[in-house]
Amino acid sequence: MAPTVRPLEDRDRDPVVALSLRAWAPVFASMERMLGPSGVFAALYPDWRAEQRRAVEAALAGARMHVWVAEVDGVVAGFVAAILADETVGEVHMVAVDPPLQRRGIATALLDVATAWIAGQGRPVALISTGGDPGHAPARRAYERAGFTALPAVNYFRKL
């Protein structure tokens, strides 16, 4: 069944936070593996679940943030949050799809709504960022399917 995408409602907040934590668990596990025993992961993310919960809640409550949810069979399946970064760029700030519902076009539907909103605000460019680690591979595939072009960047970390 195709998802229905609609603006966020108050009743969606808890389901969005919960699905986000499920969706990002493999991402944080991947980053922990990649950073290895250096101590960097623990320093950056002493409690990634609590930090991600706060980040999602802040995005959902942001006055300048525009948020939509995707529903499948009446259940919140994913969300996207977008913001106008400047006069040229709109940013897809966050997007997540519940893991059991991934690879069904939900992320594409959410990205289509967010980028249409960005274009409708007169911004000629949409930006989305993600990691280069294996845990972010599904996100990169979704972004490329949606027409985004990657500009590689390299971040180096060192535990002090």
Side-chain angles (χ1 to χ4, degrees), residues 68 71 79 107 117 121 134 156:
W68 299 267
E71 281 187 333
F79 87 106
W117 175 78
Q121 301 303 305
Y156 290 89

Side-chain angles (χ1 to χ4, degrees), residues 70-116:
E71 281 187 333
V72 174
D73 296 330
V75 176
V76 175
F79 87 106
V80 65
I83 192 166
L84 301 176
D86 59 32
E87 294 304 314
T88 304
V89 178
E91 180 183 359
V92 178
H93 179 68
M94 286 183 176
V95 61
V97 175
D98 208 353
L101 299 171
Q102 291 176 357
R103 300 195 56 91
R104 297 185 187 185
I106 296 168
T108 299
L110 288 163
L111 290 169
D112 286 349
V113 168
T115 55

Side-chain angles (χ1 to χ4, degrees), residues 103 107-108 138 140-148:
R103 300 195 56 91
T108 299
R140 291 191 304 274
R141 284 191 298 272
Y143 305 158
E144 289 167 10
R145 275 194 310 272
F148 286 86

Side-chain angles (χ1 to χ4, degrees), residues 56-77:
V56 172
E57 288 171 345
L60 300 181
R64 294 179 42 235
M65 196 74 65
H66 292 262
V67 183
W68 299 267
V69 298
E71 281 187 333
V72 174
D73 296 330
V75 176
V76 175

Side-chain angles (χ1 to χ4, degrees), residues 9-84:
E9 298 175 3
D10 282 340
R11 65 186 169 99
D12 301 321
R13 293 178 190 281
D14 289 341
V16 163
V17 170
L19 77 84
S20 298
L21 295 176
R22 290 190 297 273
W24 286 321
V27 169
F28 283 95
S30 173
M31 289 192 300
E32 185 171 22
R33 282 190 303 278
M34 293 215 44
L35 291 169
S38 66
V40 170
F41 182 83
L44 289 173
Y45 308 107
D47 184 351
W48 74 261
R49 285 174 184 83
E51 184 58 33
Q52 278 305 117
R53 174 180 295 280
R54 282 190 293 275
V56 172
E57 288 171 345
L60 300 181
R64 294 179 42 235
M65 196 74 65
H66 292 262
V67 183
W68 299 267
V69 298
E71 281 187 333
V72 174
D73 296 330
V75 176
V76 175
F79 87 106
V80 65
I83 192 166
L84 301 176

